[in-house]
Amino acid sequence: MHSQPISDIQPLADIILLLGEKVSKLITECRDFYKLEEEVYKLSQEACVKIFAWALEEIDTWLVNARDKRTWKVIGFRERTVVSSFGEFKVKRRLYRNKKTGEARFLLDEVLGWPERSRCTPRLKEMAVKLGSEVPFRRAAEILGYFVPGISAMAVWQAVQEAGEALRQEGESRREAVFEKGETPEGKEKTSRLYIEADGVVVRLQRSGEKRKEVKLFVAYTGKEAIGGGRKALKDKLVTSGVGEGERMWEEVYSGVASRWDMGQVKEIYLGSDGAEWAKQGVDYFPGAVRVLDPYHLNRRLIEAFWHDEEAYSGIRQAIYLGDREKVEEIMGGAARRVRGAKRRRIEKLWQYLKENWSGIVTSSAAEHLGAIEGQVQHNVARRMKRLGASWTEAGADRMARVLAARANGVLGRHTSRWPVLLARQEHLAQAVRLEVKRKIEEAGSWLKAGLPALRGPSAGAPWVKHVLRELSRPSLSSLIP
């Protein structure tokens, strides 16, 4: 890039000088610890906002010199409002027109990957989404308001919706690639055994013809490992969640699992569920998989039917363990003849449940490794989505479920800390800006030493000059730029 004089760094120096003066004044005048902390924090936010705006405008200035002048013509400036983790501010950037095609673009926006309608910065969006996935949107906005003045519940909601929609599109794209385009996933991780469990949780709907909707949750893992205190954690956990029909969700689960694990290396797959029809469909997508009735749900059904008859309960559990269907029928028949009314109806209902799911009641030791889904549902979905008074639109429930799954997988930051922009056409300009930033910082040390009278004047001994401005003037700051 053609070398140019350092852009006006005086505003940055002015900000630091002003901050030092105001803090010094606060120290001498303030008599209240709370007020001192509050005012210092406000000053730091004010300074950060100004520095951030200056940095963006500096990049825009460097871009005007790095552009292809034969193609791009500056036709004016446009102002844009930014809501950052420091607060809200406005920034002016140049609008360019392509001399050949007439296309108008903001090069700054493209280099930064800045979506047209996004007001929140990536860092603030990450804070909003992570907090919004833990507590109600209004409460999340209240908490963020302590640090970012003016953030609203609607802004938090919007951030969650954007992240959830990006996750939905990612999952749908992966599903389409496998089941509509016929592409073969190429998972890299190796395992000989996989466990996949499925269950759902019903949430309340709003603005819908339906009152409730089931959020489906799937968790795939390779086993369990001890983590201390007698507790175990799932190994290599992969969570998928959403509001959708069973077949479509299973397609998304398969495409996600096969994109992570090399399915050619998997010799055993165990599918655990509570016996729901949509959950049984998993065997259609994982050939050779063994369907296992989840032991938690099976035992709950047994207790509901035989809480009053310990002998029958123990006998049926033993017969189920041995896979002796005739013995189970014999014990249940005798128990049913001894009772009437609701108790008999519960036993009859249990027998029907067992007949429908008998193929999933196996004696394999694999069943002992299942039973994680109930805790996963509670921890990953129900805790947030079934709070008292919570209700969702169908689309909103789906997006939140996907955000919660991404959080459980530890990948939520990928969809919040970076803007989901696919434009890579200005990467050469971004690289040029990085090189120019490094060069300018190297020059800045000399400029600051020559241009800041505070370093040599009567205030040279002040702490904010000695410990801030002198450090800022060191040329070694260039090492911070890769």
Side-chain angles (χ1 to χ4, degrees), residues 101-174:
T101 65
E103 178 188 12
R105 279 157 51 181
F106 294 98
L107 296 186
L108 177 66
D109 294 12
E110 291 188 10
V111 164
L112 296 176
W114 194 349
E116 183 179 351
R117 292 180 175 82
S118 285
R119 295 177 72 245
C120 292
T121 59
R123 185 168 185 268
L124 179 58
K125 182 179 177 182
E126 179 180 35
M127 294 164 63
V129 172
K130 288 185 175 180
L131 197 53
S133 68
E134 293 283 353
V135 298
F137 301 130
R138 193 175 302 280
R139 177 58 179 157
E142 181 183 345
I143 295 170
L144 280 175
Y146 288 110
F147 309 99
V148 186
I151 192 76
S152 67
M154 182 57 68
V156 176
W157 175 86
Q158 183 63 39
V160 172
Q161 297 304 300
E162 289 177 3
E165 180 60 20
L167 287 161
R168 186 197 68 78
Q169 292 178 13
E170 181 184 272
E172 178 62 15
S173 176
R174 193 164 48 231

Side-chain angles (χ1 to χ4, degrees), residues 269-297:
I269 302 178
Y270 297 94
L271 302 179
S273 73
D274 65 351
E277 287 302 315
W278 67 263
K280 295 179 183 179
Q281 294 171 346
V283 294
D284 298 330
Y285 297 91
F286 294 90
V290 176
R291 187 172 69 83
V292 182
L293 191 65
D294 175 68
Y296 171 85
H297 290 93

Side-chain angles (χ1 to χ4, degrees), residues 259-399:
S259 295
R260 177 169 177 179
W261 285 285
D262 181 351
M263 299 306 291
Q265 301 292 321
V266 180
K267 306 304 180 185
E268 301 173 62
I269 302 178
Y270 297 94
L271 302 179
S273 73
D274 65 351
E277 287 302 315
W278 67 263
K280 295 179 183 179
Q281 294 171 346
V283 294
D284 298 330
Y285 297 91
F286 294 90
V290 176
R291 187 172 69 83
V292 182
L293 191 65
D294 175 68
Y296 171 85
H297 290 93
L298 174 59
N299 196 51
R300 187 173 68 180
R301 295 287 186 114
L302 291 174
I303 293 173
E304 287 175 353
F306 291 109
W307 60 269
H308 61 284
D309 191 337
E310 185 176 346
E311 182 180 350
Y313 170 77
S314 299
I316 288 174
R317 283 201 64 182
Q318 180 66 18
I320 288 175
Y321 177 77
L322 296 174
D324 189 341
R325 181 168 174 169
E326 292 183 0
K327 187 66 173 178
V328 170
E329 185 173 7
E330 177 187 333
I331 295 174
M332 294 193 72
R337 286 191 293 271
R338 293 194 294 270
V339 294
R340 296 285 185 274
K343 291 180 180 179
R344 173 177 285 187
R345 287 193 294 273
R346 279 195 293 268
I347 293 173
E348 292 171 348
K349 186 177 179 181
L350 171 63
W351 177 231
Q352 185 64 31
Y353 177 75
L354 293 178
K355 287 191 294 185
E356 291 174 354
N357 293 284
W358 189 255
S359 62
I361 301 174
V362 297
T363 58
S364 167
S365 60
E368 299 174 8
H369 293 280
L370 296 171
I373 191 64
E374 192 70 18
Q376 293 294 314
V377 167
Q378 177 60 34
H379 180 71
N380 293 319
V381 177
R383 188 166 59 91
R384 173 65 180 92
M385 298 188 70
K386 285 186 72 68
R387 290 175 181 272
L388 183 64
S391 61
W392 312 83
T393 63
E394 187 168 335
D398 183 68
R399 290 167 182 158

